[in-house]
Amino acid sequence: MSSIPEKLSIATLKKFIENNYLKNRTIVSSDISTIFDDIETTTGLTILRHKFRTGEDHGTWIVPKQWDIKSAWLKDLNGVVIASYDEHPLFVSPYSCPIHKKVKKEELLQHIVSAPQQPDAFAFNWRYASDARLQLKDWGLSIPHERLKGLTDDEYELFIDVDVSDGDMLVGEIVIPGRRKDTMVFVANYCHPGQVNDSFSGLVLFMKVMHELSQNSNLEYTYKFIFCQETIGSAIYVASDPTRLNDVIGAMFSEMVAWGEKWFIKSTRTGDTLMDGLARECTRSFDDLSQSEFFSLIGNDEYILNSVQTGIPTLSLQKYPFDEYHTSNDNPSHIRDEDIQRAVDITMHMVDVLEKNAVYKFVHRVPFWMTRYNLYSDDVYQPDDFLKQLKIVYQYLDGKNSILDIAEKIDAPFDYVYRYVLVMLSEGLVKKIAS
């Protein structure tokens, strides 16, 4: 185990992506443990590796076989390779069954997906991995759309060589403890082979966030990062031991943060939780961030965690849409360092607000003389500040509303109210009664 580096640069995270994104990133694969090793090396943080054996059944979700692909190709009858796994891992749909045979063009086309909107790219077909009815029962391929017109022969030779065996599905967990057991959870996926923005960008986002949190020895809350396979990973993690969530106050999932069209933070299922308050605070503090409904954009593990069964209020941060979605063109060449940093800044702001948020109560039985403490703004020359400050002192700081509550009620950034309350605290005008 390496020591925790003082800084974790985006350049280092991009190197991690380059080293790992083309690996066999599927539900159960021998490549996953090497990715976990590199996460530990890159961040210096220890991973708790939860292992779930093939055949285990947790909450109706069954751990599949280990699927280790060795080689795959499609050739014409002259032996010319049309496409192969060596060219890109999306050539074969994960959890396709092993096969070696000559196949008629009509049958072949029924098993091929392509991306007409990205004609030079392989398309991601996730269905054989995610659909219990298809795993290892059939096979699927992807070929760039521009090559399909070149399939003029009546017959082709197909070869998919896969080692299928019992194995361990891995779910990783990194914990940064605070003074309290109350825990905020970050969730990302490591699956989606040969793709970067979809899934892997969320992984590196939270690698950087957890590294930054590890440098803070004065945290109030505990922070946990869970990285797993999409849907099945979080479902089995929860179902196998629901007590893991006993101290969780909320969660945020993230993917697609390395580039894209527009920043969104998705609400929780009910829209009325502490996590939603944190999300709305972020939209007040980041002009380019909008809030969207729970069932909008791209849905992922937030649906598992924030389901009626699991009940953990869960947000999702993403920059969407992006043209290369679910294709091999989702590659490192498109990464925008500033977008990854923006996602880090949004997340760390949320953490900062959570850490500072508290409930305060006035000490005196009458409102204090605001001009005496330089906490008054003139209603003629500073009308906006005048009204905001009046509402803080006379209406909302009542020993029940938190700073975050007040900020939302007066439509101001959290830091505006926080700085104002700190001055009152330093002057002995208020006292903290809860955090």
mmCIF file of all heavy atoms in Angstrom, residues 13 31 45 73 76 97 104-105 135 174 186 190 221 224 238 251 267 342 364 388-389 402 419 425:
data_model
loop_
_atom_site.group_PDB
_atom_site.id
_atom_site.type_symbol
_atom_site.label_atom_id
_atom_site.label_comp_id
_atom_site.label_asym_id
_atom_site.label_seq_id
_atom_site.Cartn_x
_atom_site.Cartn_y
_atom_site.Cartn_z
ATOM 1 N N LEU A 13 -4.927 11.516 -12.728
ATOM 2 C CA LEU A 13 -6.188 10.804 -12.923
ATOM 3 C C LEU A 13 -6.365 10.402 -14.386
ATOM 4 O O LEU A 13 -6.878 9.319 -14.687
ATOM 5 C CB LEU A 13 -7.355 11.680 -12.473
ATOM 6 C CG LEU A 13 -7.429 11.960 -10.971
ATOM 7 C CD1 LEU A 13 -8.496 13.005 -10.673
ATOM 8 C CD2 LEU A 13 -7.693 10.690 -10.184
ATOM 9 N N ASP A 31 -9.961 -8.666 -14.504
ATOM 10 C CA ASP A 31 -9.344 -7.353 -14.648
ATOM 11 C C ASP A 31 -9.722 -6.395 -13.517
ATOM 12 O O ASP A 31 -9.010 -5.415 -13.267
ATOM 13 C CB ASP A 31 -9.757 -6.708 -15.974
ATOM 14 C CG ASP A 31 -8.930 -7.208 -17.150
ATOM 15 O OD1 ASP A 31 -7.982 -7.985 -16.918
ATOM 16 O OD2 ASP A 31 -9.234 -6.825 -18.289
ATOM 17 N N LEU A 45 -5.198 5.533 -0.858
ATOM 18 C CA LEU A 45 -6.272 5.198 0.082
ATOM 19 C C LEU A 45 -6.568 3.701 0.041
ATOM 20 O O LEU A 45 -6.554 3.080 -1.017
ATOM 21 C CB LEU A 45 -7.527 5.991 -0.257
ATOM 22 C CG LEU A 45 -7.377 7.522 -0.234
ATOM 23 C CD1 LEU A 45 -8.645 8.187 -0.758
ATOM 24 C CD2 LEU A 45 -7.039 8.021 1.167
ATOM 25 N N TRP A 73 -13.072 -12.304 -33.057
ATOM 26 C CA TRP A 73 -12.956 -11.662 -34.355
ATOM 27 C C TRP A 73 -14.053 -12.119 -35.301
ATOM 28 O O TRP A 73 -14.680 -13.162 -35.095
ATOM 29 C CB TRP A 73 -11.595 -11.903 -35.001
ATOM 30 C CG TRP A 73 -11.030 -13.308 -34.914
ATOM 31 C CD1 TRP A 73 -10.050 -13.732 -34.069
ATOM 32 C CD2 TRP A 73 -11.416 -14.448 -35.701
ATOM 33 N NE1 TRP A 73 -9.783 -15.067 -34.270
ATOM 34 C CE2 TRP A 73 -10.601 -15.531 -35.274
ATOM 35 C CE3 TRP A 73 -12.351 -14.668 -36.706
ATOM 36 C CZ2 TRP A 73 -10.716 -16.819 -35.819
ATOM 37 C CZ3 TRP A 73 -12.457 -15.949 -37.268
ATOM 38 C CH2 TRP A 73 -11.636 -16.990 -36.813
ATOM 39 N N ASP A 76 -14.161 -12.517 -43.086
ATOM 40 C CA ASP A 76 -14.854 -13.012 -44.271
ATOM 41 C C ASP A 76 -14.256 -14.360 -44.641
ATOM 42 O O ASP A 76 -13.301 -14.836 -44.002
ATOM 43 C CB ASP A 76 -14.791 -12.008 -45.425
ATOM 44 C CG ASP A 76 -13.376 -11.743 -45.940
ATOM 45 O OD1 ASP A 76 -12.487 -12.592 -45.728
ATOM 46 O OD2 ASP A 76 -13.161 -10.678 -46.570
ATOM 47 N N CYS A 97 -21.941 -15.573 -25.175
ATOM 48 C CA CYS A 97 -21.480 -16.951 -24.989
ATOM 49 C C CYS A 97 -20.309 -17.238 -25.934
ATOM 50 O O CYS A 97 -20.179 -16.600 -26.990
ATOM 51 C CB CYS A 97 -22.616 -17.924 -25.262
ATOM 52 S SG CYS A 97 -23.256 -17.854 -26.951
ATOM 53 N N LYS A 104 -24.404 -17.212 -41.345
ATOM 54 C CA LYS A 104 -25.000 -16.551 -42.493
ATOM 55 C C LYS A 104 -25.162 -15.050 -42.217
ATOM 56 O O LYS A 104 -25.353 -14.629 -41.082
ATOM 57 C CB LYS A 104 -26.368 -17.164 -42.808
ATOM 58 C CG LYS A 104 -26.309 -18.625 -43.220
ATOM 59 C CD LYS A 104 -25.626 -18.805 -44.585
ATOM 60 C CE LYS A 104 -25.683 -20.257 -45.049
ATOM 61 N NZ LYS A 104 -24.991 -20.433 -46.349
ATOM 62 N N LYS A 105 -25.080 -14.275 -43.270
ATOM 63 C CA LYS A 105 -25.168 -12.818 -43.126
ATOM 64 C C LYS A 105 -26.468 -12.404 -42.442
ATOM 65 O O LYS A 105 -26.473 -11.512 -41.581
ATOM 66 C CB LYS A 105 -25.061 -12.157 -44.493
ATOM 67 C CG LYS A 105 -25.218 -10.641 -44.462
ATOM 68 C CD LYS A 105 -25.137 -10.042 -45.850
ATOM 69 C CE LYS A 105 -25.391 -8.536 -45.833
ATOM 70 N NZ LYS A 105 -25.310 -7.948 -47.187
ATOM 71 N N GLN A 135 -27.747 -13.512 -20.422
ATOM 72 C CA GLN A 135 -26.371 -13.790 -20.003
ATOM 73 C C GLN A 135 -25.921 -15.184 -20.433
ATOM 74 O O GLN A 135 -26.528 -16.188 -20.054
ATOM 75 C CB GLN A 135 -26.249 -13.683 -18.477
ATOM 76 C CG GLN A 135 -26.102 -12.286 -17.955
ATOM 77 C CD GLN A 135 -25.900 -12.271 -16.448
ATOM 78 O OE1 GLN A 135 -25.878 -13.304 -15.794
ATOM 79 N NE2 GLN A 135 -25.751 -11.082 -15.896
ATOM 80 N N ILE A 174 -14.223 2.955 0.116
ATOM 81 C CA ILE A 174 -13.215 3.771 0.784
ATOM 82 C C ILE A 174 -13.936 4.656 1.792
ATOM 83 O O ILE A 174 -14.951 5.277 1.461
ATOM 84 C CB ILE A 174 -12.431 4.642 -0.219
ATOM 85 C CG1 ILE A 174 -11.637 3.760 -1.190
ATOM 86 C CG2 ILE A 174 -11.491 5.605 0.509
ATOM 87 C CD1 ILE A 174 -10.961 4.539 -2.309
ATOM 88 N N PHE A 186 -20.717 8.625 -1.643
ATOM 89 C CA PHE A 186 -20.523 8.880 -3.069
ATOM 90 C C PHE A 186 -20.518 7.532 -3.794
ATOM 91 O O PHE A 186 -19.944 6.561 -3.290
ATOM 92 C CB PHE A 186 -19.205 9.603 -3.323
ATOM 93 C CG PHE A 186 -19.072 10.909 -2.579
ATOM 94 C CD1 PHE A 186 -18.091 11.076 -1.624
ATOM 95 C CD2 PHE A 186 -19.945 11.954 -2.827
ATOM 96 C CE1 PHE A 186 -17.960 12.265 -0.927
ATOM 97 C CE2 PHE A 186 -19.831 13.153 -2.142
ATOM 98 C CZ PHE A 186 -18.842 13.308 -1.187
ATOM 99 N N TYR A 190 -17.481 1.328 -12.220
ATOM 100 C CA TYR A 190 -16.222 1.081 -12.926
ATOM 101 C C TYR A 190 -16.448 0.248 -14.185
ATOM 102 O O TYR A 190 -15.497 -0.114 -14.868
ATOM 103 C CB TYR A 190 -15.198 0.393 -12.018
ATOM 104 C CG TYR A 190 -15.630 -0.932 -11.424
ATOM 105 C CD1 TYR A 190 -15.785 -2.068 -12.202
ATOM 106 C CD2 TYR A 190 -15.857 -1.050 -10.061
ATOM 107 C CE1 TYR A 190 -16.159 -3.275 -11.655
ATOM 108 C CE2 TYR A 190 -16.228 -2.261 -9.490
ATOM 109 C CZ TYR A 190 -16.382 -3.372 -10.283
ATOM 110 O OH TYR A 190 -16.768 -4.564 -9.735
ATOM 111 N N TYR A 221 -18.483 15.027 9.520
ATOM 112 C CA TYR A 221 -19.187 13.856 9.009
ATOM 113 C C TYR A 221 -18.202 12.803 8.483
ATOM 114 O O TYR A 221 -17.037 13.102 8.196
ATOM 115 C CB TYR A 221 -20.141 14.253 7.885
ATOM 116 C CG TYR A 221 -21.342 15.028 8.363
ATOM 117 C CD1 TYR A 221 -21.279 16.403 8.532
ATOM 118 C CD2 TYR A 221 -22.543 14.389 8.664
ATOM 119 C CE1 TYR A 221 -22.383 17.128 8.980
ATOM 120 C CE2 TYR A 221 -23.647 15.094 9.115
ATOM 121 C CZ TYR A 221 -23.558 16.469 9.270
ATOM 122 O OH TYR A 221 -24.644 17.176 9.721
ATOM 123 N N LYS A 224 -18.074 8.132 2.628
ATOM 124 C CA LYS A 224 -17.846 6.789 2.086
ATOM 125 C C LYS A 224 -17.994 6.829 0.569
ATOM 126 O O LYS A 224 -18.924 7.432 0.040
ATOM 127 C CB LYS A 224 -18.855 5.809 2.680
ATOM 128 C CG LYS A 224 -18.712 4.361 2.209
ATOM 129 C CD LYS A 224 -19.785 3.465 2.825
ATOM 130 C CE LYS A 224 -19.580 3.291 4.319
ATOM 131 N NZ LYS A 224 -20.522 2.293 4.888
ATOM 132 N N VAL A 238 -26.201 -3.528 -1.036
ATOM 133 C CA VAL A 238 -27.218 -3.186 -0.037
ATOM 134 C C VAL A 238 -27.924 -4.436 0.472
ATOM 135 O O VAL A 238 -28.073 -4.640 1.686
ATOM 136 C CB VAL A 238 -28.250 -2.210 -0.630
ATOM 137 C CG1 VAL A 238 -29.409 -1.999 0.341
ATOM 138 C CG2 VAL A 238 -27.593 -0.878 -0.961
ATOM 139 N N ALA A 251 -26.762 10.379 -0.332
ATOM 140 C CA ALA A 251 -25.751 9.897 -1.273
ATOM 141 C C ALA A 251 -25.801 10.725 -2.547
ATOM 142 O O ALA A 251 -26.782 11.417 -2.841
ATOM 143 C CB ALA A 251 -25.986 8.422 -1.590
ATOM 144 N N SER A 267 -32.532 15.747 -8.688
ATOM 145 C CA SER A 267 -33.140 15.718 -7.367
ATOM 146 C C SER A 267 -33.254 14.286 -6.843
ATOM 147 O O SER A 267 -33.119 13.322 -7.595
ATOM 148 C CB SER A 267 -34.540 16.339 -7.423
ATOM 149 O OG SER A 267 -34.503 17.646 -7.921
ATOM 150 N N ARG A 342 -14.502 21.135 -12.387
ATOM 151 C CA ARG A 342 -15.797 21.726 -12.042
ATOM 152 C C ARG A 342 -16.621 20.753 -11.208
ATOM 153 O O ARG A 342 -17.263 21.152 -10.225
ATOM 154 C CB ARG A 342 -16.555 22.093 -13.316
ATOM 155 C CG ARG A 342 -17.805 22.945 -13.106
ATOM 156 C CD ARG A 342 -17.446 24.289 -12.543
ATOM 157 N NE ARG A 342 -18.533 25.265 -12.688
ATOM 158 C CZ ARG A 342 -18.493 26.469 -12.165
ATOM 159 N NH1 ARG A 342 -17.439 26.856 -11.455
ATOM 160 N NH2 ARG A 342 -19.494 27.318 -12.324
ATOM 161 N N HIS A 364 -30.434 37.011 23.181
ATOM 162 C CA HIS A 364 -31.271 38.016 23.827
ATOM 163 C C HIS A 364 -32.738 37.829 23.467
ATOM 164 O O HIS A 364 -33.077 37.254 22.431
ATOM 165 C CB HIS A 364 -30.799 39.419 23.421
ATOM 166 C CG HIS A 364 -29.364 39.689 23.771
ATOM 167 N ND1 HIS A 364 -28.931 39.887 25.063
ATOM 168 C CD2 HIS A 364 -28.257 39.768 22.984
ATOM 169 C CE1 HIS A 364 -27.628 40.084 25.064
ATOM 170 N NE2 HIS A 364 -27.192 40.016 23.812
ATOM 171 N N LYS A 388 -32.495 40.949 3.033
ATOM 172 C CA LYS A 388 -31.957 39.639 3.414
ATOM 173 C C LYS A 388 -31.555 39.618 4.885
ATOM 174 O O LYS A 388 -31.869 38.675 5.627
ATOM 175 C CB LYS A 388 -30.750 39.287 2.524
ATOM 176 C CG LYS A 388 -31.101 38.858 1.103
ATOM 177 C CD LYS A 388 -29.850 38.485 0.333
ATOM 178 C CE LYS A 388 -30.153 37.862 -1.017
ATOM 179 N NZ LYS A 388 -30.787 38.784 -1.946
ATOM 180 N N GLN A 389 -30.861 40.634 5.323
ATOM 181 C CA GLN A 389 -30.385 40.665 6.707
ATOM 182 C C GLN A 389 -31.541 40.812 7.689
ATOM 183 O O GLN A 389 -31.533 40.217 8.770
ATOM 184 C CB GLN A 389 -29.373 41.790 6.874
ATOM 185 C CG GLN A 389 -28.079 41.525 6.111
ATOM 186 C CD GLN A 389 -27.225 42.759 5.920
ATOM 187 O OE1 GLN A 389 -27.520 43.832 6.458
ATOM 188 N NE2 GLN A 389 -26.159 42.624 5.125
ATOM 189 N N SER A 402 -31.911 25.793 9.946
ATOM 190 C CA SER A 402 -30.454 25.766 9.814
ATOM 191 C C SER A 402 -30.001 26.901 8.893
ATOM 192 O O SER A 402 -30.822 27.559 8.242
ATOM 193 C CB SER A 402 -30.000 24.425 9.236
ATOM 194 O OG SER A 402 -30.390 24.330 7.869
ATOM 195 N N ARG A 419 -21.444 33.610 6.728
ATOM 196 C CA ARG A 419 -20.547 34.684 7.179
ATOM 197 C C ARG A 419 -21.271 35.657 8.112
ATOM 198 O O ARG A 419 -20.695 36.124 9.101
ATOM 199 C CB ARG A 419 -19.980 35.431 5.966
ATOM 200 C CG ARG A 419 -18.962 34.630 5.166
ATOM 201 C CD ARG A 419 -18.219 35.513 4.166
ATOM 202 N NE ARG A 419 -19.124 36.095 3.181
ATOM 203 C CZ ARG A 419 -19.390 35.535 2.008
ATOM 204 N NH1 ARG A 419 -18.815 34.384 1.679
ATOM 205 N NH2 ARG A 419 -20.208 36.131 1.154
ATOM 206 N N LEU A 425 -22.058 35.322 15.922
ATOM 207 C CA LEU A 425 -21.513 34.396 16.899
ATOM 208 C C LEU A 425 -20.302 34.997 17.604
ATOM 209 O O LEU A 425 -20.165 34.891 18.832
ATOM 210 C CB LEU A 425 -21.139 33.081 16.197
ATOM 211 C CG LEU A 425 -20.584 31.964 17.101
ATOM 212 C CD1 LEU A 425 -21.669 31.465 18.060
ATOM 213 C CD2 LEU A 425 -20.087 30.791 16.234
#
